[in-house]
Amino acid sequence: MKKKMKKLAVITLLFVGLVYKLSAQNPIIQTWYTSDPAPVVYDGILYVYTGHDEDKADFFWMNEWRVYSTKDMVNWTDHGSPLALESFAWADDRAWAGQCIERHGKFYWYVCAHSKLTNTMAIGVAVGDSPIGPFKDAIGKPLCDGEWAYIDPTVFIDDGGQAYLYWGNPELFYAELNEDMISLKGKVSIIKQTVEGFGAPNPKERQRDIKYMDTYVEGPWFYKRGRKYYLLYAAGGVPEHIAYSMSDNPVESWKYMGEIMPLQDIGSFTNHCGVVDYKGNSYFFYHTGKLPGGGGFCRSVAVEQFNYNKDGTFPIINPTKEGVGPVGVLNPYRRVEAETFAFSQGVKSEPNAKTGVYISEIHDGDYIKVRELDFGKQSPKAFYVAVASALRGGMIEVRIDSIEGVVIANIAVTHTGGWERWKRLKTNVQESVAGVHDVYLVFRGRKGCKLFNFDWWKFTK
Ligand code: FUB
Protein backbone atom coordinates (compact mmCIF):
# COMPACT_ATOMS: atom_id res chain seq x y z
CA MET A 1 0.00 0.00 0.00
CA LYS A 2 2.79 2.35 1.05
CA LYS A 3 4.66 1.53 -2.17
CA LYS A 4 1.54 2.20 -4.24
CA MET A 5 1.01 5.57 -2.55
CA LYS A 6 4.63 6.53 -3.20
CA LYS A 7 4.27 5.58 -6.88
CA LEU A 8 1.10 7.66 -7.14
CA ALA A 9 2.84 10.61 -5.51
CA VAL A 10 5.72 10.38 -8.00
CA ILE A 11 3.29 10.16 -10.96
CA THR A 12 1.32 13.16 -9.64
CA LEU A 13 4.55 15.11 -9.20
CA LEU A 14 5.66 14.27 -12.74
CA PHE A 15 2.24 15.26 -14.12
CA VAL A 16 2.17 18.59 -12.27
CA GLY A 17 5.71 19.19 -13.46
CA LEU A 18 4.73 18.51 -17.05
CA VAL A 19 1.69 20.78 -16.89
CA TYR A 20 3.83 23.62 -15.58
CA LYS A 21 6.52 22.94 -18.14
CA LEU A 22 3.96 23.17 -20.92
CA SER A 23 2.18 26.13 -19.41
CA ALA A 24 2.27 29.79 -20.39
CA GLN A 25 5.52 31.31 -21.55
CA ASN A 26 3.77 34.19 -23.33
CA PRO A 27 3.83 37.10 -22.65
CA ILE A 28 7.57 36.80 -22.13
CA ILE A 29 7.81 39.70 -19.65
CA GLN A 30 5.51 39.75 -16.63
CA THR A 31 7.08 42.42 -14.39
CA TRP A 32 6.07 45.40 -16.56
CA TYR A 33 3.81 46.00 -19.53
CA THR A 34 5.96 46.03 -22.65
CA SER A 35 5.09 46.84 -26.27
CA ASP A 36 6.40 47.26 -29.82
CA PRO A 37 9.17 44.60 -29.68
CA ALA A 38 12.30 45.08 -31.81
CA PRO A 39 14.63 42.05 -31.65
CA VAL A 40 18.28 41.99 -32.71
CA VAL A 41 21.07 39.44 -32.28
CA TYR A 42 24.48 40.68 -31.24
CA ASP A 43 27.46 38.59 -30.14
CA GLY A 44 25.39 35.42 -29.64
CA ILE A 45 22.71 37.09 -27.51
CA LEU A 46 19.21 38.00 -28.59
CA TYR A 47 18.13 41.45 -27.38
CA VAL A 48 14.62 42.80 -27.57
CA TYR A 49 14.00 46.54 -27.32
CA THR A 50 10.52 47.44 -26.15
CA GLY A 51 8.24 50.27 -25.22
CA HIS A 52 6.87 50.45 -21.69
CA ASP A 53 3.13 50.85 -21.20
CA GLU A 54 2.24 52.39 -17.86
CA ASP A 55 0.15 50.33 -15.43
CA LYS A 56 -3.59 51.20 -15.68
CA ALA A 57 -2.95 53.50 -18.68
CA ASP A 58 -5.83 55.01 -20.67
CA PHE A 59 -3.70 56.07 -23.63
CA PHE A 60 -0.19 55.44 -24.94
CA TRP A 61 1.25 57.79 -22.28
CA MET A 62 4.67 56.20 -22.41
CA ASN A 63 7.80 57.54 -20.73
CA GLU A 64 10.66 55.16 -21.42
CA TRP A 65 11.99 52.27 -23.46
CA ARG A 66 13.31 48.99 -22.03
CA VAL A 67 15.76 46.21 -23.03
CA TYR A 68 15.64 42.46 -22.38
CA SER A 69 17.95 39.70 -23.54
CA THR A 70 18.09 35.92 -23.75
CA LYS A 71 20.60 33.21 -24.59
CA ASP A 72 18.09 30.36 -24.60
CA MET A 73 14.75 31.90 -25.71
CA VAL A 74 13.01 31.01 -22.44
CA ASN A 75 14.89 32.89 -19.71
CA TRP A 76 14.88 36.66 -20.21
CA THR A 77 17.19 39.12 -18.45
CA ASP A 78 15.77 42.54 -17.61
CA HIS A 79 18.28 45.30 -18.42
CA GLY A 80 15.97 48.04 -17.18
CA SER A 81 15.38 51.27 -19.05
CA PRO A 82 18.57 52.72 -20.55
CA LEU A 83 16.59 55.25 -22.62
CA ALA A 84 13.71 57.53 -21.61
CA LEU A 85 12.01 60.76 -22.70
CA GLU A 86 14.47 62.67 -20.45
CA SER A 87 17.31 61.41 -22.66
CA PHE A 88 16.00 63.74 -25.42
CA ALA A 89 15.84 67.43 -24.44
CA TRP A 90 13.30 68.02 -27.24
CA ALA A 91 10.88 65.21 -26.29
CA ASP A 92 8.08 65.51 -23.76
CA ASP A 93 5.60 62.68 -24.34
CA ARG A 94 4.79 59.42 -26.16
CA ALA A 95 7.91 57.27 -25.98
CA TRP A 96 6.62 55.07 -28.80
CA ALA A 97 8.11 52.36 -30.98
CA GLY A 98 11.72 52.07 -32.09
CA GLN A 99 14.52 49.75 -33.18
CA CYS A 100 18.21 49.42 -32.32
CA ILE A 101 21.01 48.36 -34.68
CA GLU A 102 24.78 47.97 -34.37
CA ARG A 103 27.27 49.61 -36.73
CA HIS A 104 31.05 49.82 -36.31
CA GLY A 105 30.76 48.85 -32.63
CA LYS A 106 28.18 51.53 -31.79
CA PHE A 107 24.50 50.92 -31.11
CA TYR A 108 21.98 53.23 -32.72
CA TRP A 109 18.50 53.22 -31.23
CA TYR A 110 15.91 54.95 -33.43
CA VAL A 111 12.74 55.90 -31.58
CA CYS A 112 9.78 58.20 -31.97
CA ALA A 113 8.40 60.63 -29.42
CA HIS A 114 6.39 63.82 -29.24
CA SER A 115 8.56 66.87 -29.96
CA LYS A 116 7.91 70.04 -28.01
CA LEU A 117 9.79 71.96 -30.73
CA THR A 118 7.13 71.34 -33.38
CA ASN A 119 4.22 69.87 -31.41
CA THR A 120 4.31 66.83 -33.70
CA MET A 121 5.79 63.38 -33.49
CA ALA A 122 9.47 63.11 -34.36
CA ILE A 123 12.10 60.49 -35.03
CA GLY A 124 15.12 60.61 -32.73
CA VAL A 125 18.33 58.60 -32.53
CA ALA A 126 20.26 57.62 -29.43
CA VAL A 127 23.73 56.09 -29.40
CA GLY A 128 25.45 53.74 -26.98
CA ASP A 129 28.64 51.69 -26.71
CA SER A 130 26.86 48.47 -25.82
CA PRO A 131 23.49 46.91 -26.68
CA ILE A 132 22.23 47.70 -23.19
CA GLY A 133 23.57 51.24 -23.11
CA PRO A 134 23.89 53.65 -21.51
CA PHE A 135 22.39 55.57 -24.44
CA LYS A 136 22.35 59.30 -25.11
CA ASP A 137 20.73 61.50 -27.71
CA ALA A 138 23.18 61.26 -30.63
CA ILE A 139 22.50 64.71 -32.14
CA GLY A 140 20.63 66.75 -29.54
CA LYS A 141 17.67 67.27 -31.87
CA PRO A 142 15.20 65.14 -33.84
CA LEU A 143 16.53 63.34 -36.89
CA CYS A 144 13.32 64.46 -38.58
CA ASP A 145 10.09 65.97 -37.31
CA GLY A 146 7.16 68.14 -38.30
CA GLU A 147 4.49 65.46 -38.94
CA TRP A 148 2.12 63.57 -36.64
CA ALA A 149 2.68 60.67 -39.04
CA TYR A 150 6.35 60.39 -38.02
CA ILE A 151 6.20 57.28 -35.81
CA ASP A 152 7.62 53.75 -35.62
CA PRO A 153 11.09 53.87 -37.22
CA THR A 154 12.60 50.61 -38.49
CA VAL A 155 16.23 50.48 -39.59
CA PHE A 156 18.19 48.15 -41.85
CA ILE A 157 21.74 48.11 -43.26
CA ASP A 158 21.90 46.55 -46.71
CA ASP A 159 24.69 44.25 -47.91
CA GLY A 160 26.51 47.14 -49.63
CA GLY A 161 26.46 49.18 -46.40
CA GLN A 162 23.60 51.55 -47.27
CA ALA A 163 21.33 52.03 -44.25
CA TYR A 164 17.62 52.75 -44.61
CA LEU A 165 15.04 54.07 -42.23
CA TYR A 166 11.36 53.34 -42.84
CA TRP A 167 8.56 54.77 -40.67
CA GLY A 168 5.06 56.25 -40.65
CA ASN A 169 1.35 56.05 -39.88
CA PRO A 170 -0.66 56.06 -42.14
CA GLU A 171 1.80 57.24 -44.79
CA LEU A 172 4.92 55.17 -45.25
CA PHE A 173 8.13 57.18 -45.38
CA TYR A 174 11.72 56.23 -45.97
CA ALA A 175 15.11 57.90 -46.03
CA GLU A 176 18.68 56.79 -46.59
CA LEU A 177 21.04 57.27 -43.67
CA ASN A 178 24.63 58.41 -44.00
CA GLU A 179 27.30 56.00 -42.80
CA ASP A 180 27.45 57.92 -39.50
CA MET A 181 23.90 56.59 -38.86
CA ILE A 182 22.91 59.90 -37.29
CA SER A 183 22.10 62.01 -40.33
CA LEU A 184 19.87 61.61 -43.37
CA LYS A 185 21.58 61.31 -46.73
CA GLY A 186 18.89 63.01 -48.72
CA LYS A 187 15.30 64.02 -48.38
CA VAL A 188 12.49 62.08 -46.80
CA SER A 189 10.52 60.16 -49.47
CA ILE A 190 7.00 58.80 -49.36
CA ILE A 191 6.41 55.26 -50.55
CA LYS A 192 3.53 55.18 -53.01
CA GLN A 193 1.07 52.71 -51.59
CA THR A 194 -0.81 50.77 -54.27
CA VAL A 195 -3.27 47.88 -54.25
CA GLU A 196 -0.57 45.69 -55.74
CA GLY A 197 2.07 46.81 -53.24
CA PHE A 198 0.13 47.08 -49.98
CA GLY A 199 -3.45 46.01 -50.67
CA ALA A 200 -4.75 49.61 -50.99
CA PRO A 201 -3.73 52.99 -52.42
CA ASN A 202 -2.26 55.90 -50.42
CA PRO A 203 -4.42 56.86 -47.41
CA LYS A 204 -5.70 60.07 -49.05
CA GLU A 205 -6.73 58.23 -52.22
CA ARG A 206 -8.69 55.46 -50.48
CA GLN A 207 -12.42 55.43 -51.10
CA ARG A 208 -14.83 54.72 -48.27
CA ASP A 209 -17.09 52.39 -50.27
CA ILE A 210 -14.29 50.14 -51.52
CA LYS A 211 -13.26 47.10 -49.51
CA TYR A 212 -9.54 46.88 -50.10
CA MET A 213 -7.48 43.72 -49.91
CA ASP A 214 -5.62 45.28 -46.98
CA THR A 215 -4.34 48.64 -45.73
CA TYR A 216 -0.96 49.62 -44.35
CA VAL A 217 -1.32 51.31 -40.94
CA GLU A 218 1.94 51.54 -38.94
CA GLY A 219 4.77 49.66 -37.25
CA PRO A 220 6.90 48.75 -40.30
CA TRP A 221 9.62 46.12 -39.84
CA PHE A 222 12.16 46.19 -42.69
CA TYR A 223 14.84 43.59 -43.46
CA LYS A 224 16.37 41.42 -46.14
CA ARG A 225 16.58 37.65 -46.37
CA GLY A 226 18.52 36.15 -49.26
CA ARG A 227 17.83 38.52 -52.13
CA LYS A 228 14.37 39.54 -51.02
CA TYR A 229 13.41 42.62 -49.03
CA TYR A 230 10.60 42.28 -46.51
CA LEU A 231 8.34 44.92 -45.08
CA LEU A 232 6.07 43.68 -42.32
CA TYR A 233 3.52 46.05 -40.78
CA ALA A 234 0.39 46.48 -38.73
CA ALA A 235 -2.51 46.58 -41.17
CA GLY A 236 -6.23 46.78 -41.65
CA GLY A 237 -7.09 49.71 -39.35
CA VAL A 238 -8.09 49.19 -35.74
CA PRO A 239 -7.99 46.42 -34.59
CA GLU A 240 -4.77 45.62 -36.40
CA HIS A 241 -3.44 42.44 -37.89
CA ILE A 242 0.06 41.89 -39.26
CA ALA A 243 0.61 41.73 -43.03
CA TYR A 244 3.62 42.05 -45.31
CA SER A 245 5.00 43.04 -48.68
CA MET A 246 8.10 41.83 -50.48
CA SER A 247 10.37 43.32 -53.12
CA ASP A 248 13.63 42.81 -55.00
CA ASN A 249 14.42 46.42 -54.26
CA PRO A 250 14.81 48.25 -50.93
CA VAL A 251 12.70 51.29 -51.85
CA GLU A 252 10.18 50.40 -54.55
CA SER A 253 8.24 47.68 -56.40
CA TRP A 254 6.68 46.32 -53.20
CA LYS A 255 4.25 43.45 -53.69
CA TYR A 256 1.54 42.77 -51.15
CA MET A 257 1.96 39.18 -49.90
CA GLY A 258 -0.92 38.73 -47.44
CA GLU A 259 -1.43 38.35 -43.72
CA ILE A 260 1.02 36.85 -41.25
CA MET A 261 -0.83 37.19 -37.95
CA PRO A 262 -4.53 37.49 -38.80
CA LEU A 263 -6.97 39.35 -36.63
CA GLN A 264 -7.94 37.45 -33.51
CA ASP A 265 -8.46 37.94 -29.83
CA ILE A 266 -5.07 39.23 -28.67
CA GLY A 267 -6.64 41.62 -26.15
CA SER A 268 -5.02 44.64 -27.80
CA PHE A 269 -6.29 46.72 -30.74
CA THR A 270 -2.74 47.40 -31.92
CA ASN A 271 -0.17 44.86 -32.92
CA HIS A 272 3.47 45.48 -33.75
CA CYS A 273 6.01 42.93 -34.92
CA GLY A 274 9.72 42.25 -35.24
CA VAL A 275 11.43 39.23 -36.79
CA VAL A 276 14.82 37.69 -36.15
CA ASP A 277 16.78 34.47 -36.69
CA TYR A 278 18.55 33.01 -33.66
CA LYS A 279 20.37 29.71 -33.06
CA GLY A 280 18.95 28.20 -36.26
CA ASN A 281 15.32 29.23 -35.69
CA SER A 282 13.16 32.09 -36.94
CA TYR A 283 11.17 34.09 -34.38
CA PHE A 284 8.21 36.42 -34.71
CA PHE A 285 7.78 38.94 -31.89
CA TYR A 286 4.50 40.82 -31.39
CA HIS A 287 2.42 42.22 -28.56
CA THR A 288 -0.89 41.34 -26.93
CA GLY A 289 -2.99 42.57 -24.01
CA LYS A 290 -2.87 39.15 -22.39
CA LEU A 291 -0.98 39.81 -19.18
CA PRO A 292 -3.38 40.03 -16.19
CA GLY A 293 -4.72 43.60 -16.05
CA GLY A 294 -3.57 44.08 -19.65
CA GLY A 295 -5.39 45.57 -22.63
CA GLY A 296 -5.05 48.05 -25.49
CA PHE A 297 -2.87 50.45 -23.50
CA CYS A 298 -1.24 47.83 -21.26
CA ARG A 299 0.38 45.53 -23.77
CA SER A 300 2.93 42.76 -23.41
CA VAL A 301 5.53 41.29 -25.73
CA ALA A 302 5.14 37.70 -26.92
CA VAL A 303 7.09 35.48 -29.32
CA GLU A 304 6.41 32.55 -31.66
CA GLN A 305 8.80 30.36 -33.60
CA PHE A 306 8.07 29.82 -37.31
CA ASN A 307 9.56 28.39 -40.48
CA TYR A 308 9.61 30.36 -43.71
CA ASN A 309 7.94 28.58 -46.61
CA LYS A 310 10.33 27.19 -49.22
CA ASP A 311 9.78 30.23 -51.47
CA GLY A 312 10.63 32.64 -48.64
CA THR A 313 7.04 33.62 -47.90
CA PHE A 314 5.58 33.60 -44.40
CA PRO A 315 3.27 30.98 -42.96
CA ILE A 316 0.29 32.15 -40.94
CA ILE A 317 1.47 32.67 -37.35
CA ASN A 318 -1.07 32.49 -34.56
CA PRO A 319 -0.51 33.74 -31.03
CA THR A 320 -0.06 31.01 -28.41
CA LYS A 321 0.11 30.94 -24.64
CA GLU A 322 2.95 28.40 -24.71
CA GLY A 323 5.36 30.54 -26.75
CA VAL A 324 8.67 28.98 -27.75
CA GLY A 325 10.90 26.17 -26.53
CA PRO A 326 14.41 26.42 -25.10
CA VAL A 327 17.50 26.53 -27.32
CA GLY A 328 20.01 26.28 -24.51
CA VAL A 329 20.52 25.52 -20.84
CA LEU A 330 21.44 27.75 -17.94
CA ASN A 331 24.46 27.21 -15.72
CA PRO A 332 23.25 27.33 -12.08
CA TYR A 333 26.83 27.30 -10.76
CA ARG A 334 27.48 30.83 -12.00
CA ARG A 335 25.87 33.88 -10.44
CA VAL A 336 22.43 34.22 -12.00
CA GLU A 337 20.78 37.62 -11.80
CA ALA A 338 17.41 37.41 -10.04
CA GLU A 339 15.98 39.39 -12.98
CA THR A 340 16.76 36.48 -15.34
CA PHE A 341 13.80 34.13 -15.55
CA ALA A 342 11.19 32.51 -17.75
CA PHE A 343 8.09 33.44 -15.79
CA SER A 344 7.16 35.31 -12.65
CA GLN A 345 4.16 36.11 -10.58
CA GLY A 346 3.64 39.21 -8.48
CA VAL A 347 7.13 40.71 -8.63
CA LYS A 348 8.56 43.84 -10.27
CA SER A 349 12.08 44.92 -11.25
CA GLU A 350 13.97 48.03 -10.11
CA PRO A 351 17.22 49.67 -11.17
CA ASN A 352 20.10 50.34 -8.79
CA ALA A 353 23.12 52.37 -9.89
CA LYS A 354 25.56 50.01 -8.14
CA THR A 355 24.08 46.53 -8.46
CA GLY A 356 22.05 46.98 -11.64
CA VAL A 357 18.50 45.64 -11.96
CA TYR A 358 17.05 43.56 -9.12
CA ILE A 359 13.71 41.96 -8.24
CA SER A 360 11.39 43.86 -5.93
CA GLU A 361 7.80 43.89 -4.66
CA ILE A 362 8.19 40.35 -3.33
CA HIS A 363 5.18 39.17 -1.34
CA ASP A 364 4.06 35.86 0.15
CA GLY A 365 3.22 33.36 -2.61
CA ASP A 366 5.01 35.24 -5.42
CA TYR A 367 7.51 33.27 -7.44
CA ILE A 368 9.98 33.30 -10.28
CA LYS A 369 10.46 30.32 -12.55
CA VAL A 370 13.88 29.75 -14.12
CA ARG A 371 14.02 27.18 -16.88
CA GLU A 372 16.52 24.59 -18.05
CA LEU A 373 19.08 24.65 -15.22
CA ASP A 374 21.77 22.12 -16.00
CA PHE A 375 22.94 20.72 -12.63
CA GLY A 376 25.17 18.12 -14.28
CA LYS A 377 25.67 14.62 -12.91
CA GLN A 378 26.42 15.65 -9.36
CA SER A 379 24.01 17.38 -7.04
CA PRO A 380 24.86 20.89 -5.79
CA LYS A 381 25.67 21.19 -2.09
CA ALA A 382 24.87 24.81 -1.34
CA PHE A 383 22.59 27.61 -2.50
CA TYR A 384 23.53 31.31 -2.20
CA VAL A 385 21.43 34.44 -2.59
CA ALA A 386 22.01 38.20 -2.38
CA VAL A 387 19.02 39.86 -0.75
CA ALA A 388 18.06 43.02 1.11
CA SER A 389 15.23 43.81 3.50
CA ALA A 390 14.30 46.83 5.54
CA LEU A 391 11.67 44.74 7.30
CA ARG A 392 11.61 41.20 8.61
CA GLY A 393 12.50 39.40 5.38
CA GLY A 394 10.96 36.00 4.67
CA MET A 395 11.86 32.69 3.02
CA ILE A 396 12.87 31.46 -0.40
CA GLU A 397 11.85 27.88 -1.21
CA VAL A 398 13.74 26.32 -4.09
CA ARG A 399 11.38 23.89 -5.77
CA ILE A 400 12.11 21.57 -8.65
CA ASP A 401 10.04 21.46 -11.87
CA SER A 402 6.80 22.86 -10.50
CA ILE A 403 5.51 25.32 -7.96
CA GLU A 404 4.51 22.33 -5.86
CA GLY A 405 7.67 20.39 -6.67
CA VAL A 406 10.16 18.96 -4.19
CA VAL A 407 11.85 21.62 -2.05
CA ILE A 408 15.59 21.14 -2.52
CA ALA A 409 16.64 24.15 -0.45
CA ASN A 410 15.08 26.64 1.90
CA ILE A 411 16.71 29.91 2.80
CA ALA A 412 15.66 32.33 5.50
CA VAL A 413 16.07 35.97 4.54
CA THR A 414 16.67 38.19 7.52
CA HIS A 415 16.45 41.94 8.09
CA THR A 416 19.53 43.47 6.40
CA GLY A 417 19.07 47.11 7.39
CA GLY A 418 17.61 48.54 4.16
CA TRP A 419 15.90 47.71 0.87
CA GLU A 420 19.23 48.07 -0.92
CA ARG A 421 21.59 46.90 1.89
CA TRP A 422 22.55 43.64 0.20
CA LYS A 423 23.60 40.60 2.19
CA ARG A 424 24.89 37.30 0.84
CA LEU A 425 23.24 34.28 2.49
CA LYS A 426 23.92 30.56 2.19
CA THR A 427 21.97 27.40 2.83
CA ASN A 428 22.63 23.71 2.23
CA VAL A 429 20.86 21.82 -0.53
CA GLN A 430 18.77 19.25 1.32
CA GLU A 431 17.53 17.02 -1.55
CA SER A 432 19.82 15.85 -4.28
CA VAL A 433 19.17 16.96 -7.85
CA ALA A 434 20.97 16.23 -11.13
CA GLY A 435 20.42 16.80 -14.85
CA VAL A 436 18.33 19.56 -16.40
CA HIS A 437 15.43 21.00 -14.42
CA ASP A 438 13.25 24.05 -14.11
CA VAL A 439 13.48 25.75 -10.74
CA TYR A 440 10.77 27.71 -8.96
CA LEU A 441 11.95 30.24 -6.39
CA VAL A 442 8.86 30.60 -4.25
CA PHE A 443 8.71 33.48 -1.76
CA ARG A 444 7.10 33.11 1.65
CA GLY A 445 6.56 35.51 4.51
CA ARG A 446 4.14 37.68 6.40
CA LYS A 447 0.93 38.04 4.36
CA GLY A 448 0.34 41.47 2.75
CA CYS A 449 3.87 42.71 3.52
CA LYS A 450 6.71 43.54 1.19
CA LEU A 451 9.29 40.91 2.20
CA PHE A 452 12.69 41.61 0.62
CA ASN A 453 14.53 42.51 -2.59
CA PHE A 454 16.51 39.94 -4.54
CA ASP A 455 19.68 40.61 -6.54
CA TRP A 456 21.20 37.26 -7.55
CA TRP A 457 21.51 33.56 -6.70
CA LYS A 458 23.77 30.59 -7.46
CA PHE A 459 24.42 26.97 -6.50
CA THR A 460 27.81 25.51 -5.60
CA LYS A 461 28.95 21.88 -5.73
O1 FUB B 1 3.22 52.03 -28.68
C1 FUB B 1 2.59 53.16 -29.21
C2 FUB B 1 2.11 52.90 -30.62
O2 FUB B 1 1.18 51.83 -30.64
C3 FUB B 1 3.19 52.44 -31.56
O3 FUB B 1 4.02 53.46 -32.00
C4 FUB B 1 2.38 51.79 -32.63
O4 FUB B 1 3.10 50.97 -33.50
C5 FUB B 1 1.36 51.03 -31.80
O5 FUB B 1 1.85 49.78 -31.42
Side-chain angles (χ1 to χ4, degrees):
M1 185 66 177
K2 235 182 171 183
K3 230 178 171 185
K4 249 187 176 174
M5 289 291 285
K6 209 170 172 191
K7 205 170 167 194
L8 196 70
V10 170
I11 291 172
T12 314
L13 253 178
L14 282 176
F15 178 72
V16 173
L18 191 70
V19 167
Y20 272 95
K21 260 196 164 208
L22 295 177
S23 67
Q25 191 74 53
N26 273 333
I28 58 172
I29 310 298
Q30 305 84 34
T31 40
W32 299 105
Y33 293 113
T34 53
S35 57
D36 306 321
V40 68
V41 174
Y42 179 74
D43 207 11
I45 301 176
L46 192 160
Y47 295 87
V48 61
Y49 296 78
T50 74
H52 174 193
D53 286 1
E54 295 294 317
D55 291 5
K56 299 186 183 148
D58 57 0
F59 183 64
F60 304 116
W61 306 118
M62 299 158 71
N63 295 309
E64 60 177 28
W65 296 269
R66 299 187 67 87
V67 188
Y68 299 86
S69 74
T70 186
K71 290 177 185 162
D72 56 25
M73 287 311 291
V74 288
N75 296 303
W76 289 90
T77 301
D78 185 336
H79 298 286
S81 168
L83 190 67
L85 286 176
E86 303 84 81
S87 315
F88 300 101
W90 49 267
D92 60 357
D93 186 10
R94 299 174 202 216
W96 288 4
Q99 186 183 347
C100 186
I101 199 168
E102 183 268 343
R103 185 164 210 178
H104 305 316
K106 296 265 184 211
F107 296 81
Y108 298 93
W109 195 347
Y110 301 86
V111 294
C112 61
H114 181 262
S115 162
K116 55 188 172 199
L117 307 179
T118 51
N119 187 26
T120 64
M121 290 300 283
I123 308 293
V125 56
V127 64
D129 291 329
S130 95
I132 55 171
F135 288 91
K136 61 170 203 269
D137 188 350
I139 49 177
K141 58 181 184 184
L143 194 54
C144 53
D145 64 359
E147 302 259 0
W148 281 100
Y150 280 9
I151 69 167
D152 295 358
T154 175
V155 60
F156 167 70
I157 305 171
D158 208 349
D159 302 334
Q162 179 59 58
Y164 298 91
L165 209 58
Y166 265 85
W167 72 94
N169 168 351
E171 281 91 18
L172 179 56
F173 304 93
Y174 84 90
E176 290 182 354
L177 287 162
N178 287 316
E179 196 169 342
D180 64 11
M181 298 298 276
I182 56 170
S183 57
L184 301 186
K185 203 171 194 176
K187 61 176 186 19
V188 171
S189 304
I190 298 190
I191 292 281
K192 187 172 160 53
Q193 296 180 41
T194 60
V195 171
E196 204 208 358
F198 295 90
N202 282 329
K204 283 182 193 137
E205 293 155 27
R206 292 177 201 156
Q207 289 172 29
R208 275 179 181 271
D209 49 342
I210 296 184
K211 171 118 187 59
Y212 293 108
M213 206 155 41
D214 215 334
T215 48
Y216 167 87
V217 178
E218 60 182 359
W221 182 259
F222 179 44
Y223 68 102
K224 189 183 191 182
R225 182 174 178 266
R227 292 190 172 168
K228 297 284 182 196
Y229 295 88
Y230 293 71
L231 199 60
L232 279 56
Y233 42 86
V238 170
E240 296 171 342
H241 58 263
I242 302 289
Y244 74 120
S245 304
M246 285 173 73
S247 177
D248 295 326
N249 184 293
V251 294
E252 58 189 15
S253 311
W254 289 105
K255 188 166 179 307
Y256 176 73
M257 300 302 293
E259 296 185 1
I260 298 176
M261 181 168 275
L263 205 56
Q264 51 204 293
D265 173 29
I266 57 165
S268 154
F269 56 88
T270 63
N271 200 345
H272 190 117
C273 73
V275 168
V276 79
D277 283 353
Y278 184 57
K279 297 198 171 169
N281 294 326
S282 298
Y283 294 102
F284 180 87
F285 287 78
Y286 59 104
H287 67 219
T288 73
K290 292 290 184 183
L291 201 65
F297 301 119
C298 294
R299 301 159 294 173
S300 292
V301 169
V303 62
E304 307 296 340
Q305 198 223 311
F306 72 97
N307 295 315
Y308 286 94
N309 296 322
K310 278 213 176 94
D311 61 358
T313 57
F314 267 87
I316 291 292
I317 303 173
N318 289 311
T320 69
K321 252 188 179 178
E322 293 74 26
V324 305
V327 292
V329 289
L330 196 141
N331 181 354
Y333 300 111
R334 275 206 206 132
R335 169 177 158 149
V336 180
E337 297 302 319
E339 67 276 14
T340 296
F341 51 79
F343 210 81
S344 69
Q345 186 179 290
V347 303
K348 294 278 190 193
S349 65
E350 300 289 336
N352 172 284
K354 222 164 132 198
T355 55
V357 176
Y358 62 84
I359 289 304
S360 63
E361 295 303 322
I362 296 176
H363 294 84
D364 181 58
D366 292 346
Y367 70 88
I368 62 182
K369 168 189 177 182
V370 192
R371 285 195 61 187
E372 308 295 315
L373 269 59
D374 189 355
F375 289 101
K377 287 189 185 134
Q378 221 188 326
S379 179
K381 289 206 171 66
F383 179 64
Y384 290 84
V385 293
V387 282
S389 180
L391 290 172
R392 274 191 281 172
M395 297 284 298
I396 304 176
E397 294 170 354
V398 185
R399 291 180 178 266
I400 289 293
D401 290 331
S402 95
I403 199 161
E404 279 143 19
V406 174
V407 178
I408 60 160
N410 232 321
I411 194 157
V413 177
T414 50
H415 170 83
T416 64
W419 291 115
E420 293 190 346
R421 292 281 294 265
W422 301 102
K423 204 165 169 188
R424 199 170 101 136
L425 302 173
K426 178 194 170 194
T427 190
N428 290 334
V429 171
Q430 66 213 31
E431 296 284 338
S432 87
V433 60
V436 177
H437 291 272
D438 294 349
V439 156
Y440 286 70
L441 302 173
V442 186
F443 309 116
R444 304 281 182 211
R446 191 156 194 258
K447 298 226 174 323
C449 283
K450 187 171 150 172
L451 304 177
F452 49 87
N453 290 332
F454 191 11
D455 192 22
W456 58 263
W457 58 268
K458 75 169 182 180
F459 287 91
T460 56
K461 289 193 181 169

